[in-house]
Each structure stands twice: as C-alpha cells, then as structure tokens.
C-alpha cells in the first residue's frame, strides 16, 4: 500500500481507541498494534519517512488493514497482547520462550492428590505455579509430604466405594504419611484442612501452618502425648528450616512483581522476580527480539503482560526501573528510589546482567569450539561475501557508548582467526570531544587506535567494522585518511538494528543472508563490542568516575544528576524543561538551581 493509496482510505479509519492489524497480499497477518486513536497511529506509518529498514519493509508489504474498536486503552492492551500470543505476527516483538513449566496440581477428585505435572488440563483441578525450577517443585513436595499427611494412591475414593469397604490402608498409613481416607479413617473436612495448609505452603505463607502445628504440639503435650508432641516439634523445625532457605527480603514487602530490562541492539532481556509474602518465589529471564523501532518502555510493557499471564500473577504492585504505562487499573506501578523495593530491583538487574553475559559467553565459545578448518571456512565465506582483498584473519570493531545522553566512552574488540582475542581489547575515554557527538568521538578513537599501532609497528587488521552506519563510517574514514591508511585495510559500517553493511562512498548497502555464517560472525563481533563497551561504561558509572554538566551545578550531587538523567534521558532535554517539571522530580529548591544554571536567571 503506497502513501497515495492510504490517503484514499485514511478518512475511513476510526478515531477511537482500538487495535489495528496489517495484512499482506496473501492475507498473512504481519503486525498487530494498539492505539489511543487508530487514525492518528496508523497514519504515522504512511505520512513520514522511517529510519528503520524493518519498518519501511513492513509498510511496503501492507495490502489491507483491519480494525477493532474497544472501550478503553486497557481493553486495547489486553486484546493486542492476546492476538500477538495467538498469531505471532512476523513484525511484532518476538519473545523467545518455548519452555513447558512445571506445576503442582491439586486434583479435582474425592480426597484430592497433590503432585507434579507439566500438563495443564481443564478438568476443574487447581494448578499452582508455574515454577521455573523442577528442583524447587520437588523440594516443596518433600516439605508437604513430611508435614501434611495426604494420600498418594490413585484409588477412586468415592463415598460409595469407601462405604463398601473396597480398600485397605497401605504402608503410607503405617508410616504416618497418610491418615487412611480409603478406609474412612479420615473425614473429607479434615482432609480439606490439610489441603488449605498445602496452599499456604505453596504461596510462601508458612505462618498459619506453623501456628497450627504449635497449637497441636501444645495440645499433645497437655495430654501427656509426648511422642506426638515431638513429631509436631520436628515438623515445625522442618518448616522453619525450609523458610530459612528461602530468599526472604522483608515480610512487610508483601506480594510484588519485579521487572528489569537490558536492551542491546535487536534484542532485549527481561528478568522477572515473583515475590510472595516477602519471599522470592521464582525468577525468570526471557529474551525478546525487536522487530521494529520498539523502545525499552514498549518492550518491557509487553514482557510484563506476557510473564504475569504465564505465571498467573495477581499481585497488585509492579516494581520497574522506569515509568511504564501499564493499563490494568488495579495494578500500581512503582519506580523505587530506595529501601527494600530498590534492593529487589537491583537484584533483578543483577540476574538479567548475568543472563546476558552467559549468552555472550556461549556465543563466543560456540565458534571457539569449532576446528581450525571450520573457522577458516567461515572467514573465506566472509571474504567472498564482502569481496575483501585479503582473508580477514584479524578483525576489529568499534562502538560508542553513552548513558542516556551523557558520559561518552568507546570500545574496540579484536577477533583473530574467527575468535575473540580478549587481551587485545581496548576501551577509550573520550578526550577531545565536548558533549555527545558520536561522529567526532568515533573519529577520535579510530585515530588514537591506529596511530598507536603504527607507532608500535603492530600489524593492522584486514577488516574494521564501525558500528553505527554511514555517519560514523564517514567520521572513521577521516582518521584513516589523515593516517594515510587508505587501502591498508577494509573499513565498513554496520547500521544499528538493521544489519546493513556500508562501504565508504557507496549509496547502497549490502545485506548478507540472514542465517549465513558470515553474518553470524559479524553479529558475534558486534554483540561482543556492545557487551565490552557497556560493561566498561557500567564500571565507570559505579565508581563515580564520570562527571556531567548537572554535577557541576553547585548543590547538585551525583545521585540527583543521575536521577534526572534516568527520568529525562539527556541533559539537552533537561535544558528545555520548565522549573515546575524539574521540581516534580527533585523538589523545588534543587529544581531552581538546575533551571537557573541553564537559563542564566539568578534570583
């Protein structure tokens, strides 16, 4: 559908809230989206030029559009989420999570059994979970078996069968693990009381169970039944030991869902902590593949909806690193600035960082595990695909990094014979550039890197990759010319997110086959420079090495400056804010200092 064709139908698009669906000529669903105003949102695809290659491709393939009007933004959000999960359209965010999670089921039957399962059947049974660890499930079931007598047999314990005396108690009864409902030795009411204690244990709410056992222990002791009292004491000790091994933050925290995100090129990683009664009940990290120009807020909102649905969460509070528009009216979104909730968020961030580092390690080890001949074949393929004059046995890749528009640094990674050469990695503090200027920063670090190699008479790489596309490639080439290195090595630009490769002076890009070994190697190199640069940047921030313009304001410290940057993303945006907008974030007195600094209006 062209822009002209869209203009002919634009007046027919409703202005109400709803969801829109894009289809190609064959009727395949390409994309599902939500909007406060359908006409305004859909029009944005056709009336402006898009930087993203994938967005341009999506628009080219749209043949017809369908709409569903809903009553509210919340309904649009829920419907969009449902359709994405059902149809998994090509251009929507792709969440890579195909695991089948274990549950604990309380079977819908007389004297219900409690056991482990991966199959959820709509038969009226209660399914508790899901759980991310089979070991965790088995540990819980062991605790339940030791403390709460329930049957484990699969007999049909109907009232009629029990009255007829069809069954006899088994060894489990004599061991004290079952109270013998098969012979009518336990009432259904007493059995249901045990099931309630099971549910309390599964929810991490151990206090009612422990208190009940303490009452029973005291009753046995009062009646001189010391052996039975000792059994109850051991059960209490067992539950307290189980509780001690759980990661308890603070009982006052209650029930929370905690989410953190790291975004890296085409991918994002989201960690989820499920908190029940102040205890970390589960943790799960997922990978999401961005298909269009989704920002962190959009990706995180989608992941929250997905994970809360998978884990059947009914928690009324969500803890996140930055504000998100989560449309469920009965759910509170919290961005903590301190206390236990902040510690939980930091723990979630630690988990998601570890997850990503492990993925990178596995990617690097994947190629390192290949034989010399297999690695050479990949390099020969890359040479052929890019028409390189020499085999790229030595590859270097540069990337700039900054934190929400501040604190610029750069990184260089080195691959030799197709694998990372960590000892040759270099990071750079930007020295000659004022403010954020990715082009000038790239020119500086490329010049510093190769002037040093020339001075030390070190070998030059056959292939240099500039992560950032045409603009940064042009800046890098300025340094290459100044150093008289034109023709000494091949320098290419890699467009962020689109995986298009540009050569200096060429107007058209090269796109390698998506699953080719050549592109996989380039991806590994790019991912490694991102990882190395971001890790260095995080270390510098944590040590307080960076200073920015905000911190130069008298009365504004590092914490306040970082808080402003996290909320408003850049110093440039903060300069445009009113004093009232700044005050909402850091208070009136500090806001006056910041506002006056940028507007030279001392009072």
């Amino acid at each position: 559908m062209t822009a002209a064709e869209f203009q002919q139908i634009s007046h027919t698009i409703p202005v109400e809230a709803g969801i829109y669906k894009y289809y190609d000529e064959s009727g395949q669903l390409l994309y599902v989206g939500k909007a406060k105003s359908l006409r305004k949102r859909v029009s944005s695809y056709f009336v402006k030029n898009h930087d993203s290659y994938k967005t341009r491709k999506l628009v080219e393939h749209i043949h017809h559009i369908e709409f569903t009007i809903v009553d509210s933004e919340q309904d649009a959000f829920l419907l969009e989420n449902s359709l994405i999960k059902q149809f998994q359209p090509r251009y929507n965010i792709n969440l890579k999570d195909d695991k089948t999670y274990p549950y604990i089921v309380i079977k819908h039957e007389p004297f219900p059994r409690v056991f482990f399962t991966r199959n959820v059947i709509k038969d009226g049974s209660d399914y508790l979970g899901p759980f991310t660890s089979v070991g965790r499930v088995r540990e819980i079931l062991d605790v339940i078996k030791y403390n709460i007598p329930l049957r484990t047999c699969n007999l049909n314990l109907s009232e009629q069968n029990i009255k007829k005396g069809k069954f006899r108690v088994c060894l489990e009864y004599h061991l004290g693990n079952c109270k013998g409902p098969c012979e009518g030795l336990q009432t259904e009411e007493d059995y249901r009381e045990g099931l309630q204690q099971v549910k309390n244990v599964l929810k991490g709410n151990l206090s009612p169970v422990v208190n009940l056992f303490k009452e029973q222990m005291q009753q046995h002791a009062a009646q001189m039944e010391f052996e039975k009292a000792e059994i109850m004491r051991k059960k209490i000790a067992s539950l307290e030991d189980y509780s001690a091994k759980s990661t308890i933050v603070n009982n006052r925290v209650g029930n929370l869902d905690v989410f953190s995100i790291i975004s890296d090129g085409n991918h994002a990683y989201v960690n989820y902590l499920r908190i029940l009664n102040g205890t970390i009940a589960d943790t799960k990290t997922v990978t999401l593949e961005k298909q269009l120009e989704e920002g962190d807020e959009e990706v995180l909102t989608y992941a929250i909806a997905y994970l809360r649905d998978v884990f059947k969460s009914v928690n009324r509070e969500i803890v996140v690193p930055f504000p998100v528009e989560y449309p469920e009216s009965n759910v509170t979104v919290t961005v903590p600035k301190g206390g236990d909730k902040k510690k939980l968020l930091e723990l979630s961030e630690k988990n998601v960082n570890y997850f990503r580092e492990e993925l990178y390690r596995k990617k690097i080890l994947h190629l390192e595990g290949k034989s010399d001949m297999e690695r050479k074949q990949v390099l020969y393929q890359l040479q052929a695909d890019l028409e390189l004059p020499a085999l790229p046995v030595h590859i270097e890749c540069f990337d700039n990094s900054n934190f929400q528009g501040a604190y610029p640094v750069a990184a260089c990674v080195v691959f030799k014979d197709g694998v990372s050469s960590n000892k040759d990695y270099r990071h750079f503090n930007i020295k000659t550039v004022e403010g954020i200027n990715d082009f000038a920063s790239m020119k500086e670090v490329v010049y510093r890197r190769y002037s040093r190699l020339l001075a030390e008479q070190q070998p030059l790489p056959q292939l240099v990759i500039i992560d950032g596309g045409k603009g940064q490639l042009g800046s890098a080439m300025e340094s290459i010319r100044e150093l008289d290195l034109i023709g000494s090595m091949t320098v290419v630009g890699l467009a962020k997110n689109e995986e298009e490769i540009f050569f200096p002076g060429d107007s058209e890009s090269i796109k390698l086959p998506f699953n080719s070994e050549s592109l996989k190697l380039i991806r590994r190199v790019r991912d490694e420079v991102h990882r190395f640069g971001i890790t260095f940047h995080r270390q510098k921030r944590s040590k307080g090495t960076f200073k920015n313009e905000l911190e130069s304001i008298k009365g504004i410290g590092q914490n306040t400056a970082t808080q402003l940057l996290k909320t408003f993303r850049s110093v440039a945006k903060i300069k445009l804010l009113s004093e009232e907008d700044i005050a909402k974030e850091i208070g009136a007195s500090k806001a006056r200092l910041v506002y006056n600094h940028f507007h030279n209006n001392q009072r």
Side-chain angles (χ1 to χ4, degrees):
M1 182 180 292
T2 64
E5 290 171 335
F6 174 76
Q7 288 300 322
Q8 296 178 5
I9 66 165
S10 61
H11 66 281
T12 67
I13 301 174
V15 296
E16 291 87 352
I19 60 105
Y20 54 95
K21 293 180 283 186
Y22 293 152
Y23 292 87
D24 65 12
E25 192 170 5
S26 66
Q28 181 182 0
L29 181 61
L30 298 174
Y31 185 78
V32 176
K34 63 180 182 301
K36 296 179 183 178
S37 168
L38 286 167
R39 184 180 300 178
K40 183 177 180 180
R41 182 71 185 95
V42 173
S43 297
S44 69
Y45 283 88
F46 295 90
V47 299
K48 69 176 184 179
N49 294 322
H50 295 278
D51 294 332
S52 167
Y53 171 81
K54 291 180 180 178
T55 305
R56 295 197 302 270
K57 280 295 180 184
L58 167 63
V59 174
E60 287 176 12
H61 285 96
I62 296 172
H63 180 263
H64 65 278
I65 309 169
E66 292 182 1
F67 311 97
T68 302
I69 299 172
V70 296
D71 293 330
S72 66
E73 286 182 62
Q74 179 178 348
D75 292 340
F77 173 84
L78 296 173
L79 180 56
E80 177 200 38
N81 189 258
S82 174
L83 290 172
I84 290 173
K85 283 192 293 187
Q86 181 179 352
F87 296 106
Q88 297 183 345
R90 176 181 174 187
Y91 285 92
N92 280 103
I93 297 169
N94 177 23
L95 196 149
K96 299 179 177 180
D97 185 35
D98 55 358
K99 293 181 179 177
T100 302
Y101 296 102
Y103 289 80
I104 292 177
V105 60
I106 300 177
K107 198 66 177 170
H108 179 58
E109 60 189 1
F111 299 95
R113 290 168 292 154
V114 177
F115 56 89
F116 164 97
T117 185
R118 288 187 184 272
N119 300 316
V120 177
I121 305 169
K122 294 182 179 180
D123 60 354
S125 300
D126 288 337
Y127 290 88
L128 304 167
F131 297 89
T132 54
S133 167
V134 174
R136 171 80 169 168
V137 174
R138 300 202 187 282
E139 180 187 11
I140 293 172
L141 288 175
D142 286 343
V143 169
I144 290 170
K145 182 175 182 179
Y146 180 79
N147 292 284
I148 304 167
L150 298 173
R151 74 174 178 118
T152 56
C153 63
N154 56 6
L155 301 175
N156 179 9
L157 299 187
S158 65
E159 184 179 353
Q160 185 179 11
N161 285 343
I162 293 173
K163 285 182 178 179
K164 287 182 177 179
K166 283 191 172 185
F167 311 116
R168 291 289 179 268
V169 293
C170 63
L171 181 62
E172 289 294 303
Y173 171 79
H174 296 291
L175 292 174
N177 296 329
C178 177
K179 291 185 177 180
C182 59
E183 283 194 30
L185 301 176
Q186 182 182 24
T187 65
E188 287 200 55
E189 183 180 355
D190 183 69
Y191 197 91
R192 280 195 299 271
E193 186 178 323
L195 290 176
Q196 183 57 50
Q197 304 311 320
V198 169
K199 292 178 181 179
N200 283 328
V201 171
L202 291 172
K203 291 176 181 177
N205 188 17
L206 299 181
S207 296
V209 188
V210 172
N211 290 338
L212 176 65
F213 287 176
K214 284 181 178 178
E215 288 179 14
Q216 293 176 357
M217 180 180 69
Q218 291 167 0
Q219 290 173 6
H220 290 312
Q223 297 169 10
M224 304 296 182
E225 297 172 338
F226 297 116
E227 288 186 3
K228 292 182 179 180
E230 176 61 13
I231 290 173
M232 300 312 299
R233 189 196 65 77
K234 289 181 178 179
K235 289 187 176 185
I236 293 168
S238 167
L239 288 172
E240 289 176 343
D241 179 62
Y242 170 73
S243 176
K245 287 190 294 184
S246 301
T247 308
I248 298 178
V249 183
N250 188 320
N251 288 327
R252 294 193 302 273
V253 168
N255 301 327
L256 301 170
D257 288 332
V258 183
F259 296 90
S260 63
I261 182 172
I262 291 179
S263 192
D264 189 2
N266 284 339
H267 294 89
Y269 311 96
V270 175
N271 174 260
Y272 169 45
L273 299 180
R274 181 166 57 161
I275 314 299
L276 299 176
N277 298 299
T279 300
I280 299 174
D282 263 308
T283 179
K284 175 66 182 175
T285 306
V286 293
T287 302
L288 298 101
E289 184 176 331
K290 302 178 186 178
Q291 303 298 338
L292 299 178
E293 298 168 293
E294 295 96 353
D296 281 1
E297 181 180 345
E298 185 177 355
V299 175
L300 182 58
T301 304
Y302 173 74
I304 290 171
Y306 172 86
L307 289 165
R308 279 174 59 86
D309 179 60
V310 167
F311 287 89
K312 304 295 183 289
S313 174
V314 293
N315 291 344
R316 299 293 183 88
E317 185 174 3
I318 295 172
V319 174
V320 288
F322 49 78
V324 297
E325 292 186 11
Y326 195 71
E328 290 190 32
S329 56
N330 63 338
V331 175
T332 300
V333 177
T334 301
V335 182
K337 292 183 169 57
D340 289 323
K341 293 177 184 178
K342 179 66 173 177
K343 290 178 182 176
L344 279 169
L345 182 59
E346 290 170 350
L347 180 62
S348 177
E349 290 170 345
K350 183 177 181 180
N351 274 272
V352 77
N353 273 303
Y354 178 80
F355 178 84
R356 188 185 63 168
E357 294 290 334
E358 279 296 291
L359 284 184
Y360 282 137
R361 187 182 67 81
K362 289 175 182 176
K363 284 181 181 178
I364 300 302
L365 289 177
H366 172 70
L367 194 59
E368 289 177 345
K370 291 186 176 182
S371 67
D372 291 343
M373 180 60 70
E374 289 172 320
R375 293 202 297 268
K376 268 289 194 289
Q377 286 175 346
V378 174
L379 296 177
Y380 279 121
Q381 185 62 52
L382 180 60
Q383 180 184 11
D385 288 342
L386 297 184
E387 299 181 0
L388 302 176
L391 188 69
V393 294
H394 180 172
I395 301 172
E396 297 193 354
C397 183
F398 293 85
D399 183 39
N400 293 329
S401 178
N402 61 75
F403 175 63
Q404 298 171 343
Y407 314 139
V409 296
C412 170
V413 299
V414 179
F415 275 58
K416 292 182 177 178
D417 294 319
V419 296
S420 59
S421 179
N422 297 49
K423 65 183 178 65
D424 295 313
Y425 286 13
R426 296 292 182 269
H427 51 242
F428 302 87
N429 291 309
I430 305 303
K431 296 180 178 179
T432 64
V433 180
E434 292 292 331
I436 300 302
N437 186 330
D438 281 344
F439 297 156
S441 297
M442 185 60 72
K443 179 181 178 182
E444 176 190 322
V445 298
V446 169
Y447 188 91
R448 286 167 58 187
R449 170 64 174 168
Y450 295 119
S451 62
R452 175 110 183 220
L453 290 188
L454 289 173
E456 295 177 353
Q457 297 184 336
Q458 296 292 320
L460 296 171
Q462 289 80 39
L463 175 64
V464 176
I465 300 171
I466 306 298
D467 188 44
K470 284 185 178 180
Q472 295 194 38
L473 173 61
S475 298
M477 290 306 298
E478 291 179 24
S479 291
I480 298 298
R481 291 189 190 94
E482 291 177 15
L483 293 168
D484 196 25
L485 290 176
I486 298 293
S488 299
M489 52 191 176
T490 301
V491 185
V492 300
L494 181 63
K496 289 183 181 292
N497 297 333
E498 299 169 23
E499 296 178 339
E500 293 177 284
I501 298 169
F502 291 92
F503 282 81
D506 286 359
S507 58
E508 297 295 324
S509 65
I510 293 175
K511 286 187 71 68
L512 300 179
F514 184 77
N515 288 319
S516 69
E517 291 299 320
S518 301
L519 187 56
K520 287 179 182 178
L521 175 57
I522 289 174
R523 283 191 194 123
R524 277 192 286 273
V525 175
R526 176 203 61 196
D527 289 347
E528 181 66 357
V529 79
H530 285 177
R531 182 201 65 79
F532 183 63
I534 290 170
T535 301
F536 170 58
H537 204 281
R538 189 178 297 115
Q539 290 170 349
K540 299 282 285 185
R541 292 207 311 272
S542 66
K543 293 176 181 176
T545 308
F546 289 126
K547 297 288 182 184
N548 67 2
E549 188 175 358
L550 294 171
E551 292 176 58
S552 69
I553 303 171
K554 187 176 180 180
I556 301 299
Q558 183 184 6
N559 290 339
T560 302
T562 301
Q563 181 180 340
L564 284 170
L565 285 172
K566 282 185 175 181
T567 302
F568 300 113
R569 303 296 184 185
S570 71
V571 174
K573 288 184 179 179
I574 294 169
K575 290 179 180 180
L576 302 175
L577 296 172
S578 67
E579 186 176 331
E580 290 74 18
D581 288 336
I582 301 172
K584 291 176 183 177
E585 187 65 23
I586 60 173
S589 59
K590 290 183 179 179
R592 187 172 298 113
L593 295 174
V594 173
Y595 185 83
N596 289 342
H597 172 80
F598 291 126
H599 295 82
N600 297 315
N601 182 24
Q602 301 297 327
R603 298 179 183 177

